[in-house]
Amino acid sequence: MQTTGPSLTGVRLVLAVTGSIAAYKAVGLLRLLRREGATVHVVMTTGACRFVTPLTFEVLSGSHVATDLFEAHQEMLHLSLPEQAQAIVIAPATANCLAKAALGLADDLLSTMLLTTQCPVIFAPAMDGDMWHHPTVVEHVAALRTRGAIIVEPEEGPLASGRSGQGRLADESRILSVLHAALHPRRDWSGRRLLISAGPTQEAIDPVRFISNRSSGKMGYALAESAQARGAEVLLVSGPTALTPPVGVELCPVTTAEDMRKAMMSRFTWSDTVIMAAAVADFRPAQPATQKLKKRQQSLTNLALTPTDDILKELGERRTTQVLVGFAAETQDLLAHARENCKLRV
Ligand SMILES: Cc1cc2nc3c(=O)[nH]c(=O)nc-3n(C[C@H](O)[C@H](O)[C@H](O)COP(=O)(O)O)c2cc1C
């Protein structure tokens, strides 16, 4: 596999494995880290040992696998391992492990280590989708982020339960690139001010119904997160999404295309770069009903729509020195349509 960024030659890491069904994937990750030149000490929870044997990690890491806080008490592994490590990667990280880390519990080697470490800590959670979205897990993840932990969000797709959702352990190449970024943080965007839009807008039909689109907001949120990580000040103007805003990014929540237009215009002069990653509605109901439309009494065959204001076009007209970046979702002739869009607006 091809990897990006500098190699890990000479880098000392702790790879912590917890009791998720995805524990077997940590074997592949360990091999990748070793191939990249890192020295890796593996720590396993009791739960992890139920899924994969320490022997596998011992052979592949070339060193003893620590599983017990009290096992080698003279070496004080909970202090010595994090002291020597340049980063700790927890993959997969269970809901239990996130909870213990967020609350500062210290009842096994890994959780105790996390209270003593000064180096970057990367959690790559893996769990069932319902667990990942459980309010307690969401709270713990947010608390960890606030304290500087790096979370590699799990991916969407088929899960071990047979269901589908967000919960799959992130791909090992993604974990590796996050690790590279943690080891070599770039602050080359310090002093820059980015105004980023994200997500869909919702246009009311009546007080309870709206027209919207399938935008998840992930693109805008990811751009905001990396710009912030590179030192930029970021204002994220976001339509309704299920995403947690990145730590350190100012969030301006909006609902309609008009809300978004107003928010973007009011901060435009503050910014030096604008990225329109939002999927702004092109049309809205011309006359939203003030009361809920009744199923039996009304016909909606003639829902009149009116175009919304073109935010990117307006930004293009007002632009002085700002860099403007637009996104266009197309279903055909992608480049041709995107170029045409660009000519019309900027
Ligand atoms: C078959 C099986 C699969 C599991 N998979 C996960 C998982 O993917 N993610 C998770 O958070 N917990 C999972 N669990 C639950 C954890 O193993 C359990 O919460 C355990 O206490 C975690 O301990 P640890 O965090 O100390 O490793 C699974 C349990 C079983 C029996």
Side-chain angles (χ1 to χ4, degrees):
M1 184 188 28
Q2 237 192 329
T3 57
T4 51
S7 102
L8 298 174
T9 306
V11 172
R12 292 177 311 279
L13 301 171
V14 168
L15 171 64
V17 186
T18 68
S20 153
I21 189 71
Y24 73 94
K25 295 184 182 173
V27 175
L29 179 62
L30 170 61
R31 297 199 67 187
L32 177 61
L33 297 173
R34 294 279 286 147
R35 268 207 309 274
E36 288 288 307
T39 302
V40 187
H41 280 99
V42 177
V43 170
M44 296 177 77
T45 62
T46 311
C49 298
R50 299 287 294 265
F51 289 91
V52 186
T53 66
L55 181 63
T56 308
F57 290 101
E58 211 148 282
V59 171
L60 295 172
S61 69
S63 56
H64 174 68
V65 170
T67 56
D68 183 4
L69 179 61
F70 299 100
E71 166 196 36
H73 59 274
Q74 265 155 358
E75 292 171 49
M76 302 280 268
L77 288 177
H78 63 287
L79 302 177
S80 60
L81 279 177
E83 215 167 70
Q84 293 156 14
Q86 285 159 272
I88 297 178
V89 180
I90 308 171
T94 55
N96 178 56
C97 150
L98 295 169
K100 290 203 302 190
L103 297 173
L105 301 186
D107 63 353
D108 63 5
L109 179 57
L110 173 59
S111 54
T112 310
M113 268 174 52
L114 293 180
L115 290 183
T116 72
T117 186
Q118 304 296 321
C119 66
V121 179
I122 298 167
F123 290 86
M127 63 195 73
D128 193 62
D130 288 344
M131 286 172 85
W132 176 246
H133 292 297
H134 190 283
T136 317
V137 175
V138 171
E139 242 173 63
H140 291 150
V141 169
L144 290 169
R145 277 198 168 114
T146 309
R147 279 182 238 140
I150 301 160
I151 310 286
V152 191
E153 295 243 341
E155 289 167 7
E156 301 242 5
L159 301 166
S161 59
R163 287 182 278 186
S164 194
Q166 189 181 4
R168 291 168 65 83
L169 180 68
D171 186 71
E172 59 190 38
S173 61
R174 226 178 103 218
I175 298 175
L176 182 64
S177 75
V178 171
L179 173 63
H180 278 307
L183 292 169
H184 309 282
R186 284 197 291 170
R187 305 295 287 173
D188 54 340
W189 279 16
S190 282
R192 295 185 87 152
R193 291 173 169 174
L194 270 83
L195 179 57
I196 300 178
S197 72
T201 62
Q202 295 177 350
E203 312 302 325
I205 296 172
D206 68 17
V208 296
R209 303 184 182 92
F210 55 80
I211 299 177
S212 190
N213 57 62
R214 295 186 199 279
S215 167
S216 67
K218 282 182 188 169
M219 172 64 79
Y221 278 62
L223 289 167
E225 186 171 12
S226 32
Q228 199 275 339
R230 288 173 67 173
E233 264 184 87
V234 183
L235 173 66
L236 182 62
V237 177
S238 174
T241 73
L243 304 173
T244 312
V247 175
V249 165
E250 188 188 345
L251 179 75
C252 173
V254 296
T255 305
T256 65
E258 182 52 19
D259 294 342
M260 187 166 278
R261 191 189 74 80
K262 283 186 189 148
M264 297 299 288
M265 295 309 153
S266 75
R267 294 298 286 270
F268 187 47
T269 49
W270 163 87
S271 66
D272 54 43
T273 305
V274 179
I275 305 180
M276 279 295 294
V280 185
D282 290 328
F283 298 95
R284 61 179 166 77
Q287 286 185 319
T290 53
Q291 301 299 329
K292 186 183 170 198
L293 298 172
K294 295 286 175 234
K295 192 174 177 183
R296 283 184 205 87
Q297 294 161 12
Q298 305 274 347
S299 156
L300 272 184
T301 46
N302 290 319
L303 179 67
L305 299 176
T306 186
T308 56
D309 290 328
D310 189 329
I311 302 175
L312 191 57
K313 188 161 184 265
E314 194 172 337
L315 291 172
E317 285 158 5
R318 292 190 182 196
R319 173 173 172 263
T320 50
T321 54
Q322 290 92 342
V323 175
L324 273 189
V325 182
F327 279 75
E330 301 289 349
T331 52
Q332 55 178 342
D333 299 334
L334 308 186
L335 276 179
H337 283 149
R339 283 203 182 102
E340 198 180 321
N341 255 334
C342 200
K343 264 191 247 147
L344 285 174
R345 288 148 140 193
V346 185

